[in-house]
Amino acid sequence: EGIAKLVSDKAADDYFNTRPEGSKIAAWASEQSDELNNRKELEDKVKDFSNKYKDKIIPRPPHWTGFRVEPLLIEFWQDMPFRLHDRVEYKKKGNNWLVKRLYP
């Protein structure tokens, strides 16, 4: 749990520029989470954007950005037999983290 904040354009650009070329093309080709009529439609868009950006720097699409989560609570689960999972909770209080073990 935490507070999600939109990253700056510079932070989004910096991260986008670390991604492989194929991932950058996919970011342009995908209308993420919209309905896709068929796989060929997506593959055709990938081809189109691959041709458009061939031998060029691929810019970050305007719709592609990110969020940074500032955690306030983190819980780790370790799977154990018979659902007797090991659970540890870290809860932020000021600049410190309070740690406690939880029942599964």
Side-chain angles (χ1 to χ4, degrees), residues 40-100:
K40 185 175 181 331
E41 180 182 332
L42 175 61
E43 292 169 353
D44 288 346
K45 288 178 120 188
V46 168
K47 283 181 195 173
D48 291 345
F49 283 108
S50 293
N51 289 334
K52 178 178 180 174
Y53 291 114
K54 185 178 172 94
D55 300 324
K56 295 179 183 170
I57 293 173
I58 303 168
R60 176 178 61 88
H63 62 272
W64 196 99
T65 190
F67 290 85
R68 177 171 284 119
V69 177
E70 296 175 12
L72 300 173
L73 183 132
I74 302 170
E75 187 176 319
F76 294 97
W77 285 57
Q78 181 178 358
D79 187 30
M80 301 295 282
F82 310 110
R83 295 188 39 83
L84 297 176
H85 310 306
D86 199 14
R87 292 177 59 196
V88 179
E89 178 188 86
Y90 292 76
K91 190 170 190 175
K92 192 161 190 182
K93 183 161 183 147
N95 290 327
N96 298 311
W97 288 93
L98 305 175
V99 182
K100 64 183 173 184

Side-chain angles (χ1 to χ4, degrees), residues 28-45:
W28 280 98
S30 176
E31 296 176 27
Q32 190 169 7
S33 298
D34 281 355
E35 185 174 351
L36 177 64
N37 294 319
N38 57 63
R39 184 75 186 183
K40 185 175 181 331
E41 180 182 332
L42 175 61
E43 292 169 353
D44 288 346
K45 288 178 120 188

